[in-house]
Amino acid sequence: MLTVILIWLSLSSSGERAGTPLSAGRSTSQSLFAQAAAETLRRNFQSRDISFLLLDARTGEFLASRWDHPATPIPLGSLVKPFTALAYGEQHDFKYPTHNCRGTATGCWLPRGHGDVDLTSAIAYSCNSYFRMITASLTVANGSPTLARFGLELPDAEAASLTLAGLGNHWRISPLHMARAYLELIRRREQPGVREVLEGMAESARRGSGAEVDRALPFPNALVKTGTAPCTHSPHASGDGFAVALTPADQPQILLMVRVHGVPGAQAAKTAGNMLRRIED
Ligand SMILES: [Zn+2]
């Protein structure tokens, strides 16, 4: 069915340029797809623990959603990493270092560490140690032009570098803006730094923190970024898991962003994968 859906989307948007505003020229076929997708997700994923936004990856149009106050900024954890990486790139001629992650000793979430990581693997495995290193010299002031270009809210001017690495709860971003920032990433795929980031997201789907997405799909072919952040809604949990998944990887047609209450990001990726599979069915 995904093929049918993708043909629908192609037909419905032919003649429109990417970036067409939400309400412009919404066609009947696209409405039908949106209705079918919304109904499928509503029927099969009823848990209130799951929030989601489903967007047409080329137009930014909402196809389906269930997310209370998606415009209200909340902590989104490691979902910021691609944009922080590009802010770092602007400052360093897009030359990215390699780094030896030694786990707990260098401040990573994976106790045994990720070993030698470059930007692509740091995105794929969401290595905190790598991002602690590249944000050590990054400030809100020098990173803000890049972050603003992607439409993201900025952290407080005096925010610590750890905040820019996606750690803690001080950097709050609207989920809606974050979903659109990932679409902007796709539009800028030929630009310096973006290629490595997108390779990292493909690697994430294959064997990184987003591997549950590809595992759920009959034809694995996604770009994924996961994140875990302090929970901001009730009933309160210790943390919420996030995943942004785009498919197909080479020319994304849909973007699904999910939040799953009380689980880590890698597990939210499993929910995202199951939702995409249902839509494909
Ligand atoms: Zn690491």
Side-chain angles (χ1 to χ4, degrees), residues 101-103 108-110 113-115 117 126-130:
C101 167
R102 290 183 287 114
C108 196
W109 60 268
L110 184 69
H114 290 105
V117 285
S126 212
C127 177
N128 287 345
S129 181
Y130 186 92

Side-chain angles (χ1 to χ4, degrees), residues 33-55:
F33 167 63
Q35 283 168 18
E39 178 56 26
T40 297
L41 295 180
R42 218 176 0 249
R43 197 172 52 239
N44 294 291
F45 299 90
Q46 294 180 353
S47 167
R48 294 301 299 174
D49 287 350
I50 300 172
S51 315
F52 65 87
L53 302 171
L54 183 71
L55 281 76

Side-chain angles (χ1 to χ4, degrees), residues 24-201:
R26 184 180 170 124
S27 70
T28 308
S29 58
Q30 197 166 9
S31 300
L32 287 173
F33 167 63
Q35 283 168 18
E39 178 56 26
T40 297
L41 295 180
R42 218 176 0 249
R43 197 172 52 239
N44 294 291
F45 299 90
Q46 294 180 353
S47 167
R48 294 301 299 174
D49 287 350
I50 300 172
S51 315
F52 65 87
L53 302 171
L54 183 71
L55 281 76
D56 181 321
R58 294 157 315 163
T59 64
E61 180 161 9
F62 262 113
L63 299 175
S65 69
R66 183 177 68 223
W67 196 308
D68 294 337
H69 316 298
T72 301
I74 56 172
L76 292 171
S78 295
L79 294 191
V80 303
K81 280 176 175 163
F83 311 100
T84 296
L86 294 174
Y88 173 90
E90 290 276 354
Q91 303 295 311
H92 298 84
D93 211 13
F94 293 98
K95 292 188 172 63
Y96 291 94
T98 54
H99 167 74
N100 185 250
C101 167
R102 290 183 287 114
T104 307
T106 52
C108 196
W109 60 268
L110 184 69
R112 70 172 184 279
H114 290 105
D116 288 334
V117 285
D118 58 8
L119 174 60
T120 294
S121 48
I123 291 284
Y125 299 95
S126 212
C127 177
N128 287 345
S129 181
Y130 186 92
F131 275 85
R132 282 172 184 267
M133 186 216 26
I134 68 165
T135 55
S137 63
L138 197 63
T139 63
V140 175
N142 60 29
S144 60
T146 306
L147 301 172
R149 203 172 302 140
F150 285 89
L152 297 175
E153 286 86 351
L154 300 175
D156 293 340
E158 65 281 3
S161 58
L162 289 185
T163 297
L164 290 164
L167 299 166
N169 59 2
H170 293 302
W171 188 0
R172 291 168 177 255
I173 298 170
S174 136
L176 191 51
H177 290 169
M178 183 57 89
R180 293 228 168 98
Y182 275 87
L183 296 185
E184 187 62 26
L185 205 54
I186 300 300
R187 279 197 280 278
R188 295 171 182 262
R189 62 187 318 148
E190 301 303 333
Q191 295 184 6
V194 179
R195 194 186 306 263
E196 291 93 324
V197 166
L198 293 180
E199 277 171 21
M201 290 176 64

